Amino acid sequence: MQTAALSVAMPTLRHGREIVLLAEQESRETGYGFLDAEHLLLAAVTLCSGMPRFRDVLEAHGVSPERIRTASSVFIGAGAVCPDVTDRVTCTPAAARILARAAQIAGPLERVRPHHVVLAVLDGVDDPFMGAAHDVLERLGVEPRRFRRALRRAARRG
């Protein structure tokens, strides 16, 4: 089954460019062909794991880049080669929705940060159009509401 893909302009730093670039790199390495929700989740968790206030939350909930990568391998299969375009990224509608939700969470005056992306994934956990990122978290045994509360508390502390 072919998944629909969108070609969207590469976000500015305000919109989380570093997260998208890391997710796109992961997508290329897995041979998936385009950026999906699981790649965004992995990129955001990777970046959050380097921040002490979020690292503790991730560890407490059993979330790590390695565990996300392993759990996502079930959902991420090899696909077409990513187009080599520097100012655009090809992504699924689910990935585009997560990025849009992360921008809403960040608000108009703050740039999208990794925890905004994780929160966007958690907000869409019951939305079947948000991709398999929620399935990845379920495979890890993560309780979305508790994880979301803990992430929000950590963000406020910062």
Side-chain angles (χ1 to χ4, degrees), residues 107-133:
L109 302 177
E110 187 178 353
R111 74 183 182 98
V112 172
R113 299 187 186 280
H115 69 278
H116 296 133
V117 173
V118 177
L119 287 169
V121 168
L122 290 167
D123 283 355
V125 100
D126 295 324
D127 184 345
F129 300 107
M130 285 296 227

PDB file of all heavy atoms in Angstrom, residues 107-133:
ATOM      1  N   GLY A 107       3.308  28.121  20.191  1.00  0.00           N
ATOM      2  CA  GLY A 107       2.744  29.471  20.207  1.00  0.00           C
ATOM      3  C   GLY A 107       3.435  30.355  19.188  1.00  0.00           C
ATOM      4  O   GLY A 107       4.477  30.003  18.633  1.00  0.00           O
ATOM      5  N   PRO A 108       2.867  31.521  18.948  1.00  0.00           N
ATOM      6  CA  PRO A 108       3.371  32.384  17.872  1.00  0.00           C
ATOM      7  C   PRO A 108       4.727  33.030  18.140  1.00  0.00           C
ATOM      8  O   PRO A 108       5.400  33.449  17.210  1.00  0.00           O
ATOM      9  CB  PRO A 108       2.277  33.449  17.741  1.00  0.00           C
ATOM     10  CG  PRO A 108       1.610  33.475  19.075  1.00  0.00           C
ATOM     11  CD  PRO A 108       1.694  32.069  19.609  1.00  0.00           C
ATOM     12  N   LEU A 109       5.143  33.099  19.396  1.00  0.00           N
ATOM     13  CA  LEU A 109       6.383  33.810  19.712  1.00  0.00           C
ATOM     14  C   LEU A 109       7.573  32.905  20.010  1.00  0.00           C
ATOM     15  O   LEU A 109       8.680  33.388  20.191  1.00  0.00           O
ATOM     16  CB  LEU A 109       6.147  34.751  20.906  1.00  0.00           C
ATOM     17  CG  LEU A 109       5.050  35.782  20.693  1.00  0.00           C
ATOM     18  CD1 LEU A 109       4.843  36.597  21.958  1.00  0.00           C
ATOM     19  CD2 LEU A 109       5.357  36.668  19.501  1.00  0.00           C
ATOM     20  N   GLU A 110       7.347  31.605  20.079  1.00  0.00           N
ATOM     21  CA  GLU A 110       8.424  30.675  20.421  1.00  0.00           C
ATOM     22  C   GLU A 110       8.674  29.730  19.255  1.00  0.00           C
ATOM     23  O   GLU A 110       7.748  29.346  18.548  1.00  0.00           O
ATOM     24  CB  GLU A 110       8.041  29.867  21.666  1.00  0.00           C
ATOM     25  CG  GLU A 110       9.179  29.014  22.184  1.00  0.00           C
ATOM     26  CD  GLU A 110       8.808  28.254  23.462  1.00  0.00           C
ATOM     27  OE1 GLU A 110       7.728  28.488  24.008  1.00  0.00           O
ATOM     28  OE2 GLU A 110       9.620  27.405  23.862  1.00  0.00           O
ATOM     29  N   ARG A 111       9.925  29.358  19.067  1.00  0.00           N
ATOM     30  CA  ARG A 111      10.206  28.390  18.008  1.00  0.00           C
ATOM     31  C   ARG A 111       9.839  26.991  18.482  1.00  0.00           C
ATOM     32  O   ARG A 111       9.776  26.721  19.676  1.00  0.00           O
ATOM     33  CB  ARG A 111      11.657  28.460  17.565  1.00  0.00           C
ATOM     34  CG  ARG A 111      12.666  27.890  18.506  1.00  0.00           C
ATOM     35  CD  ARG A 111      14.087  28.096  17.942  1.00  0.00           C
ATOM     36  NE  ARG A 111      15.064  27.505  18.803  1.00  0.00           N
ATOM     37  CZ  ARG A 111      15.596  26.309  18.610  1.00  0.00           C
ATOM     38  NH1 ARG A 111      15.237  25.583  17.590  1.00  0.00           N
ATOM     39  NH2 ARG A 111      16.496  25.837  19.438  1.00  0.00           N
ATOM     40  N   VAL A 112       9.586  26.113  17.547  1.00  0.00           N
ATOM     41  CA  VAL A 112       9.243  24.730  17.870  1.00  0.00           C
ATOM     42  C   VAL A 112      10.486  24.039  18.414  1.00  0.00           C
ATOM     43  O   VAL A 112      11.551  24.065  17.805  1.00  0.00           O
ATOM     44  CB  VAL A 112       8.711  23.993  16.619  1.00  0.00           C
ATOM     45  CG1 VAL A 112       8.534  22.510  16.912  1.00  0.00           C
ATOM     46  CG2 VAL A 112       7.410  24.610  16.171  1.00  0.00           C
ATOM     47  N   ARG A 113      10.327  23.450  19.562  1.00  0.00           N
ATOM     48  CA  ARG A 113      11.417  22.732  20.219  1.00  0.00           C
ATOM     49  C   ARG A 113      11.064  21.238  20.243  1.00  0.00           C
ATOM     50  O   ARG A 113       9.909  20.864  20.018  1.00  0.00           O
ATOM     51  CB  ARG A 113      11.617  23.273  21.628  1.00  0.00           C
ATOM     52  CG  ARG A 113      11.992  24.748  21.624  1.00  0.00           C
ATOM     53  CD  ARG A 113      12.346  25.234  22.999  1.00  0.00           C
ATOM     54  NE  ARG A 113      12.564  26.661  23.017  1.00  0.00           N
ATOM     55  CZ  ARG A 113      13.697  27.257  22.632  1.00  0.00           C
ATOM     56  NH1 ARG A 113      14.707  26.536  22.206  1.00  0.00           N
ATOM     57  NH2 ARG A 113      13.820  28.566  22.688  1.00  0.00           N
ATOM     58  N   PRO A 114      12.060  20.394  20.523  1.00  0.00           N
ATOM     59  CA  PRO A 114      11.808  18.948  20.489  1.00  0.00           C
ATOM     60  C   PRO A 114      10.648  18.493  21.369  1.00  0.00           C
ATOM     61  O   PRO A 114       9.853  17.643  20.955  1.00  0.00           O
ATOM     62  CB  PRO A 114      13.132  18.351  20.964  1.00  0.00           C
ATOM     63  CG  PRO A 114      14.158  19.376  20.634  1.00  0.00           C
ATOM     64  CD  PRO A 114      13.470  20.698  20.773  1.00  0.00           C
ATOM     65  N   HIS A 115      10.511  19.062  22.556  1.00  0.00           N
ATOM     66  CA  HIS A 115       9.424  18.607  23.431  1.00  0.00           C
ATOM     67  C   HIS A 115       8.057  18.983  22.856  1.00  0.00           C
ATOM     68  O   HIS A 115       7.078  18.292  23.105  1.00  0.00           O
ATOM     69  CB  HIS A 115       9.596  19.136  24.868  1.00  0.00           C
ATOM     70  CG  HIS A 115       9.410  20.594  25.034  1.00  0.00           C
ATOM     71  ND1 HIS A 115      10.406  21.504  24.767  1.00  0.00           N
ATOM     72  CD2 HIS A 115       8.329  21.304  25.444  1.00  0.00           C
ATOM     73  CE1 HIS A 115       9.952  22.720  25.008  1.00  0.00           C
ATOM     74  NE2 HIS A 115       8.694  22.635  25.415  1.00  0.00           N
ATOM     75  N   HIS A 116       7.987  20.048  22.045  1.00  0.00           N
ATOM     76  CA  HIS A 116       6.724  20.395  21.389  1.00  0.00           C
ATOM     77  C   HIS A 116       6.309  19.285  20.414  1.00  0.00           C
ATOM     78  O   HIS A 116       5.120  18.968  20.297  1.00  0.00           O
ATOM     79  CB  HIS A 116       6.835  21.723  20.632  1.00  0.00           C
ATOM     80  CG  HIS A 116       7.089  22.900  21.514  1.00  0.00           C
ATOM     81  ND1 HIS A 116       8.058  23.835  21.217  1.00  0.00           N
ATOM     82  CD2 HIS A 116       6.515  23.294  22.680  1.00  0.00           C
ATOM     83  CE1 HIS A 116       8.055  24.761  22.161  1.00  0.00           C
ATOM     84  NE2 HIS A 116       7.135  24.455  23.060  1.00  0.00           N
ATOM     85  N   VAL A 117       7.288  18.716  19.737  1.00  0.00           N
ATOM     86  CA  VAL A 117       6.994  17.640  18.781  1.00  0.00           C
ATOM     87  C   VAL A 117       6.517  16.391  19.530  1.00  0.00           C
ATOM     88  O   VAL A 117       5.540  15.755  19.126  1.00  0.00           O
ATOM     89  CB  VAL A 117       8.217  17.338  17.886  1.00  0.00           C
ATOM     90  CG1 VAL A 117       7.979  16.115  17.012  1.00  0.00           C
ATOM     91  CG2 VAL A 117       8.557  18.557  17.032  1.00  0.00           C
ATOM     92  N   VAL A 118       7.185  16.053  20.620  1.00  0.00           N
ATOM     93  CA  VAL A 118       6.747  14.886  21.400  1.00  0.00           C
ATOM     94  C   VAL A 118       5.335  15.129  21.937  1.00  0.00           C
ATOM     95  O   VAL A 118       4.476  14.235  21.872  1.00  0.00           O
ATOM     96  CB  VAL A 118       7.729  14.568  22.550  1.00  0.00           C
ATOM     97  CG1 VAL A 118       7.213  13.397  23.386  1.00  0.00           C
ATOM     98  CG2 VAL A 118       9.122  14.250  22.014  1.00  0.00           C
ATOM     99  N   LEU A 119       5.079  16.336  22.430  1.00  0.00           N
ATOM    100  CA  LEU A 119       3.730  16.657  22.922  1.00  0.00           C
ATOM    101  C   LEU A 119       2.699  16.572  21.794  1.00  0.00           C
ATOM    102  O   LEU A 119       1.582  16.105  22.003  1.00  0.00           O
ATOM    103  CB  LEU A 119       3.708  18.044  23.563  1.00  0.00           C
ATOM    104  CG  LEU A 119       4.387  18.143  24.926  1.00  0.00           C
ATOM    105  CD1 LEU A 119       4.533  19.604  25.345  1.00  0.00           C
ATOM    106  CD2 LEU A 119       3.649  17.347  25.983  1.00  0.00           C
ATOM    107  N   ALA A 120       3.073  17.004  20.593  1.00  0.00           N
ATOM    108  CA  ALA A 120       2.153  16.917  19.450  1.00  0.00           C
ATOM    109  C   ALA A 120       1.834  15.462  19.125  1.00  0.00           C
ATOM    110  O   ALA A 120       0.686  15.127  18.824  1.00  0.00           O
ATOM    111  CB  ALA A 120       2.752  17.617  18.233  1.00  0.00           C
ATOM    112  N   VAL A 121       2.836  14.602  19.193  1.00  0.00           N
ATOM    113  CA  VAL A 121       2.599  13.170  18.976  1.00  0.00           C
ATOM    114  C   VAL A 121       1.655  12.639  20.047  1.00  0.00           C
ATOM    115  O   VAL A 121       0.704  11.922  19.755  1.00  0.00           O
ATOM    116  CB  VAL A 121       3.926  12.373  18.976  1.00  0.00           C
ATOM    117  CG1 VAL A 121       3.675  10.868  19.039  1.00  0.00           C
ATOM    118  CG2 VAL A 121       4.760  12.721  17.749  1.00  0.00           C
ATOM    119  N   LEU A 122       1.899  13.010  21.291  1.00  0.00           N
ATOM    120  CA  LEU A 122       1.054  12.544  22.392  1.00  0.00           C
ATOM    121  C   LEU A 122      -0.364  13.088  22.275  1.00  0.00           C
ATOM    122  O   LEU A 122      -1.322  12.388  22.600  1.00  0.00           O
ATOM    123  CB  LEU A 122       1.666  12.943  23.737  1.00  0.00           C
ATOM    124  CG  LEU A 122       2.955  12.193  24.090  1.00  0.00           C
ATOM    125  CD1 LEU A 122       3.655  12.858  25.261  1.00  0.00           C
ATOM    126  CD2 LEU A 122       2.675  10.737  24.371  1.00  0.00           C
ATOM    127  N   ASP A 123      -0.518  14.313  21.808  1.00  0.00           N
ATOM    128  CA  ASP A 123      -1.856  14.883  21.609  1.00  0.00           C
ATOM    129  C   ASP A 123      -2.623  14.110  20.545  1.00  0.00           C
ATOM    130  O   ASP A 123      -3.843  14.018  20.604  1.00  0.00           O
ATOM    131  CB  ASP A 123      -1.779  16.357  21.198  1.00  0.00           C
ATOM    132  CG  ASP A 123      -1.482  17.270  22.379  1.00  0.00           C
ATOM    133  OD1 ASP A 123      -1.424  16.784  23.521  1.00  0.00           O
ATOM    134  OD2 ASP A 123      -1.305  18.483  22.140  1.00  0.00           O
ATOM    135  N   GLY A 124      -1.918  13.570  19.577  1.00  0.00           N
ATOM    136  CA  GLY A 124      -2.565  12.854  18.485  1.00  0.00           C
ATOM    137  C   GLY A 124      -2.649  11.360  18.685  1.00  0.00           C
ATOM    138  O   GLY A 124      -2.906  10.613  17.746  1.00  0.00           O
ATOM    139  N   VAL A 125      -2.438  10.911  19.921  1.00  0.00           N
ATOM    140  CA  VAL A 125      -2.374   9.476  20.184  1.00  0.00           C
ATOM    141  C   VAL A 125      -3.674   8.752  19.820  1.00  0.00           C
ATOM    142  O   VAL A 125      -3.648   7.599  19.432  1.00  0.00           O
ATOM    143  CB  VAL A 125      -1.944   9.237  21.650  1.00  0.00           C
ATOM    144  CG1 VAL A 125      -3.091   8.930  22.558  1.00  0.00           C
ATOM    145  CG2 VAL A 125      -0.886   8.183  21.740  1.00  0.00           C
ATOM    146  N   ASP A 126      -4.796   9.425  19.896  1.00  0.00           N
ATOM    147  CA  ASP A 126      -6.067   8.785  19.543  1.00  0.00           C
ATOM    148  C   ASP A 126      -6.527   9.136  18.135  1.00  0.00           C
ATOM    149  O   ASP A 126      -7.610   8.743  17.719  1.00  0.00           O
ATOM    150  CB  ASP A 126      -7.156   9.199  20.548  1.00  0.00           C
ATOM    151  CG  ASP A 126      -6.849   8.689  21.953  1.00  0.00           C
ATOM    152  OD1 ASP A 126      -6.305   7.575  22.064  1.00  0.00           O
ATOM    153  OD2 ASP A 126      -7.135   9.408  22.924  1.00  0.00           O
ATOM    154  N   ASP A 127      -5.709   9.864  17.394  1.00  0.00           N
ATOM    155  CA  ASP A 127      -6.052  10.293  16.044  1.00  0.00           C
ATOM    156  C   ASP A 127      -5.462   9.306  15.034  1.00  0.00           C
ATOM    157  O   ASP A 127      -4.247   9.201  14.915  1.00  0.00           O
ATOM    158  CB  ASP A 127      -5.499  11.696  15.799  1.00  0.00           C
ATOM    159  CG  ASP A 127      -5.877  12.282  14.452  1.00  0.00           C
ATOM    160  OD1 ASP A 127      -6.340  11.535  13.564  1.00  0.00           O
ATOM    161  OD2 ASP A 127      -5.700  13.497  14.282  1.00  0.00           O
ATOM    162  N   PRO A 128      -6.302   8.556  14.309  1.00  0.00           N
ATOM    163  CA  PRO A 128      -5.774   7.557  13.373  1.00  0.00           C
ATOM    164  C   PRO A 128      -4.992   8.172  12.210  1.00  0.00           C
ATOM    165  O   PRO A 128      -4.269   7.471  11.514  1.00  0.00           O
ATOM    166  CB  PRO A 128      -7.035   6.850  12.870  1.00  0.00           C
ATOM    167  CG  PRO A 128      -8.139   7.813  13.094  1.00  0.00           C
ATOM    168  CD  PRO A 128      -7.752   8.630  14.293  1.00  0.00           C
ATOM    169  N   PHE A 129      -5.099   9.477  12.021  1.00  0.00           N
ATOM    170  CA  PHE A 129      -4.391  10.134  10.925  1.00  0.00           C
ATOM    171  C   PHE A 129      -3.037  10.685  11.342  1.00  0.00           C
ATOM    172  O   PHE A 129      -2.391  11.380  10.581  1.00  0.00           O
ATOM    173  CB  PHE A 129      -5.262  11.249  10.336  1.00  0.00           C
ATOM    174  CG  PHE A 129      -6.565  10.746   9.793  1.00  0.00           C
ATOM    175  CD1 PHE A 129      -7.736  10.989  10.464  1.00  0.00           C
ATOM    176  CD2 PHE A 129      -6.602   9.981   8.635  1.00  0.00           C
ATOM    177  CE1 PHE A 129      -8.949  10.506   9.983  1.00  0.00           C
ATOM    178  CE2 PHE A 129      -7.797   9.483   8.151  1.00  0.00           C
ATOM    179  CZ  PHE A 129      -8.980   9.750   8.822  1.00  0.00           C
ATOM    180  N   MET A 130      -2.602  10.392  12.556  1.00  0.00           N
ATOM    181  CA  MET A 130      -1.316  10.889  13.036  1.00  0.00           C
ATOM    182  C   MET A 130      -0.180   9.886  12.812  1.00  0.00           C
ATOM    183  O   MET A 130       0.906  10.073  13.305  1.00  0.00           O
ATOM    184  CB  MET A 130      -1.395  11.258  14.511  1.00  0.00           C
ATOM    185  CG  MET A 130      -2.122  12.545  14.758  1.00  0.00           C
ATOM    186  SD  MET A 130      -1.290  13.951  14.034  1.00  0.00           S
ATOM    187  CE  MET A 130      -1.350  15.083  15.384  1.00  0.00           C
ATOM    188  N   GLY A 131      -0.424   8.834  12.101  1.00  0.00           N
ATOM    189  CA  GLY A 131       0.634   7.882  11.801  1.00  0.00           C
ATOM    190  C   GLY A 131       0.834   6.867  12.910  1.00  0.00           C
ATOM    191  O   GLY A 131       0.051   6.776  13.851  1.00  0.00           O
ATOM    192  N   ALA A 132       1.902   6.111  12.795  1.00  0.00           N
ATOM    193  CA  ALA A 132       2.141   5.007  13.719  1.00  0.00           C
ATOM    194  C   ALA A 132       3.001   5.400  14.914  1.00  0.00           C
ATOM    195  O   ALA A 132       3.378   4.539  15.698  1.00  0.00           O
ATOM    196  CB  ALA A 132       2.798   3.853  12.967  1.00  0.00           C
ATOM    197  N   ALA A 133       3.289   6.691  15.088  1.00  0.00           N
ATOM    198  CA  ALA A 133       4.110   7.103  16.229  1.00  0.00           C
ATOM    199  C   ALA A 133       3.461   6.698  17.547  1.00  0.00           C
ATOM    200  O   ALA A 133       4.148   6.279  18.474  1.00  0.00           O
ATOM    201  CB  ALA A 133       4.358   8.609  16.196  1.00  0.00           C
TER     202      ALA A 133
END
